[in-house]
Amino acid sequence: MKVLVVGGAGYIGSHMVKMLDKAGHAVTTLDNLSNGYRDAVKYGEFVEGDIADEALLNQLFSDTGFDGVMHFASYIQVGESVEKPSMYYRNNVSNTQTLLDAMVEHGIKNFIFSSTAATFGEPEYTPIDEKHPQKPINPYGHSKLMVEQILADFDHAYGLKSVSLRYFNAAGADPEGELGERHVPETHLIPLVLQAASGRRQNITIFGEDYDTPDGTCIRDYIHINDLCSAHLLGLEHLVAGGDSRAYNMGNGQGYSIKEVIDVAKKVSGNDFDVLTGPRRDGDPARLVADSTLLQAELDWKPEYTELEMIIQHAWEWEKKVDSWQ
Ligand code: UFG
């Protein structure tokens, strides 16, 4: 297949580009490098540019007959989205529509969309399946749900087929050690904990220890980056084979608390570090765990790296190489 990966220079996109290339597909990355890194794109073609640039999209889509587009180019910070909603709706919704319009114009029918658990808002029950009401509680979640809605309408009107994958907590790194997580600023738990383990940070602060969970800290569903990417590939294969549009929740199905993550990080790294307790962070549900039964049943997805220790081991190998990528 010929695949365009939008946001292929970012954390998830760069792993996707590698997986597509290794599977024998012709991959092109389009990335404006606002949050990605040119040197993270180790496979395929690279085009620097923005999905807001209609002329560039028209040129790309005229020159290459892509079988599908995977879209990873979003802003992802919940707190920032509350402070700067315009930025989130502009990039995550308006610019995505520009991309979809160009696809429709050029007859490119298959789209894989990075959605999020944040489209559900405060969980009414866990594990969260696809029937759970979608009531986002922040602009980030709203922006992703709006695109899911646009996709349903574009399918109906224009026949654009899509698979939306609602990620829970993407984590880990390339098992071969070539790629990893590189956000600036880093806000995610596992990379921050590993920075404390390597001595790049002095300590880690747990945001709240008084939740209604067994050890009082929040429970999340960490899914290995390669398992996440393999679902995207299955989604595209499903669409290219003529399958209809779908939306799936995607996680490990297994929840781990913040304290469990910290304990495993200490074990994997062999290093001790200070753990502080701070106040709760706004908008953090106590427990977010995915029910991925539908994805497994319908696309035959089988997560390979389900153990938290393995996920953290791969992230730790990447953290240890910080001098080579920072
Ligand atoms: N946490 C800490 N200390 C830190 C950082 C995080 O205690 O220094 C806690 C958070 O409060 C949360 C847990 O660790 O309870 C995980 O936090 P992350 O920021 O790593 O991940 P989130 O669960 O908040 O975010 C993820 C995705 C978002 C998505 C959100 C809701 O990264 O894009 O799930 O689905 F919006």
Side-chain angles (χ1 to χ4, degrees):
M1 297 186 284
K2 285 186 188 166
V3 186
L4 180 67
V5 177
V6 180
Y11 168 45
I12 300 173
S14 60
H15 289 76
M16 190 72 241
V17 165
K18 178 172 180 177
M19 187 176 286
L20 284 163
D21 182 272
K22 293 282 175 197
H25 303 296
V27 52
T28 301
T29 290
L30 172 65
D31 198 299
N32 65 8
L33 299 182
S34 62
N35 287 299
Y37 299 89
R38 175 65 187 89
D39 66 2
V41 186
K42 299 202 184 291
Y43 301 88
E45 304 288 320
F46 177 77
V47 177
E48 184 172 348
D50 201 293
I51 48 169
D53 185 344
E54 279 177 56
L56 175 64
L57 292 177
N58 284 330
Q59 188 200 331
L60 255 179
F61 290 157
S62 308
D63 291 352
T64 314
F66 290 106
D67 296 293
V69 175
M70 295 185 176
H71 179 26
F72 298 93
S74 294
Y75 296 138
I76 58 164
Q77 291 181 46
V78 169
E80 183 182 58
S81 80
V82 176
E83 282 160 30
K84 302 177 182 170
S86 176
M87 178 177 149
Y88 274 70
Y89 291 122
R90 174 74 57 204
N91 185 59
N92 293 7
V93 183
S94 306
N95 293 350
T96 298
Q97 194 189 331
T98 304
L99 173 65
L100 295 173
D101 285 343
M103 287 179 64
V104 169
E105 187 157 324
H106 292 270
I108 298 169
K109 295 279 182 202
N110 303 314
F111 188 69
I112 308 294
F113 178 57
S114 302
S115 190
T116 170
T119 59
F120 293 108
E122 189 63 40
E124 292 176 13
Y125 58 86
T126 58
I128 298 177
D129 58 16
E130 288 77 6
K131 294 190 182 81
H132 188 289
Q134 287 182 288
K135 294 184 203 159
I137 53 171
N138 50 59
Y140 170 64
H142 279 294
S143 73
K144 290 287 183 174
L145 184 56
M146 284 176 188
V147 174
E148 286 195 20
Q149 185 62 57
I150 291 171
L151 289 172
D153 293 340
F154 271 43
D155 183 0
H156 181 74
Y158 312 125
L160 186 126
K161 301 292 173 199
S162 65
V163 172
S164 295
L165 295 164
R166 302 184 188 120
Y167 310 165
F168 282 61
N169 290 64
D174 173 30
E176 293 171 358
E178 207 180 16
L179 301 162
E181 197 160 0
R182 233 166 133 180
H183 295 119
V184 180
E186 188 53 76
T187 61
H188 295 103
L189 180 67
I190 289 178
L192 288 175
V193 167
L194 293 177
Q195 287 177 18
S198 70
R200 279 211 288 151
R201 294 173 63 83
Q202 292 203 309
N203 50 50
I204 184 80
T205 300
I206 297 178
F207 298 148
E209 285 194 336
D210 57 350
Y211 285 93
D212 183 17
T213 58
D215 67 17
T217 67
C218 286
I219 291 176
R220 293 289 179 274
D221 182 335
Y222 298 93
I223 171 175
H224 192 285
I225 185 85
N226 271 37
D227 288 331
L228 187 147
C229 289
S230 70
H232 288 66
L233 187 47
L234 289 169
L236 187 57
E237 286 167 356
H238 160 81
L239 294 181
V240 166
D244 54 6
S245 294
R246 305 279 168 87
Y248 295 115
N249 298 352
M250 180 173 52
N252 220 340
Q254 177 93 9
Y256 296 98
S257 74
I258 298 173
K259 283 187 177 167
E260 284 176 302
V261 167
I262 291 172
D263 287 347
V264 172
K266 286 185 176 177
K267 182 178 166 208
V268 163
S269 67
N271 297 337
D272 201 4
F273 49 87
D274 288 338
V275 179
L276 314 178
T277 306
R280 288 183 175 199
R281 194 175 66 176
D282 274 351
D284 269 341
R287 192 185 292 263
L288 269 180
V289 178
D291 181 341
S292 306
T293 313
L294 199 64
L295 174 62
Q296 301 199 24
E298 293 191 353
L299 294 193
D300 202 19
W301 176 65
K302 291 185 193 71
E304 197 179 335
Y305 307 100
T306 52
E307 295 299 318
L308 182 62
E309 194 166 324
M310 182 66 85
I311 294 172
I312 292 184
Q313 179 71 48
H314 291 160
W316 175 238
E317 295 305 325
W318 177 246
E319 170 63 23
K320 282 196 291 184
K321 286 191 186 161
V322 58
D323 290 339
S324 69
W325 52 264
Q326 199 186 41

